[in-house]
Amino acid sequence: MDHAILVAAGTGIEGENLSACGETEFGSLPQIKRLVITAQRAGIRFFTIITDRTDTPLKGLLAGDKRIDSSISWHTLGTGITLGDDPSLIIQSNLITTPKALSNFMEEEPAPGEISVLGGRIEGRVDKNERRRRSPTSTPAAGARWARSWPRASCWRSPSWTPCP
């Protein structure tokens, strides 16, 4: 898995304002920068970052940083994102994790035609019908609070992260 969709706009799964998270400094780095660098170290090479407007200040926070060498495409809420056949990871902009925890989570690739989402606070992996199940291979990554997998669709909408009609 080398593609992540970083959601930095709209409402998070727990009702939080994701637009406010990207610029928040944590450990002297803006959260958006910390998350991109962490995901890169875990193996992500392509980012799709969703923001609330095209002139987002988040672009400036990432521009020119020599530690960021991944390909980044910017989209605003409501625009379509085309997903390829390879697995994708959806990350909320308020996630704080480590490269090792993220890498461990990514090793457990979703089934073909599914995407993985990391964030929130429910333990274990939740299937598309919201049933909780636990097994040695479906525990959440350290530093993460929940994980979900859904069938892939061309459009997803927040806050319930359900496929668009």
Side-chain angles (χ1 to χ4, degrees), residues 135-150:
S135 74
T137 61
S138 66
T139 56
R145 296 180 295 188
W146 61 256
R148 293 185 182 185
S149 289
W150 286 283

Side-chain angles (χ1 to χ4, degrees), residues 27-44:
S28 76
L29 279 179
Q31 174 58 15
I32 189 90
K33 186 178 284 193
R34 174 175 299 285
L35 197 49
V36 167
I37 291 169
T38 298
Q40 272 188 174
R41 290 179 180 162
I44 298 295

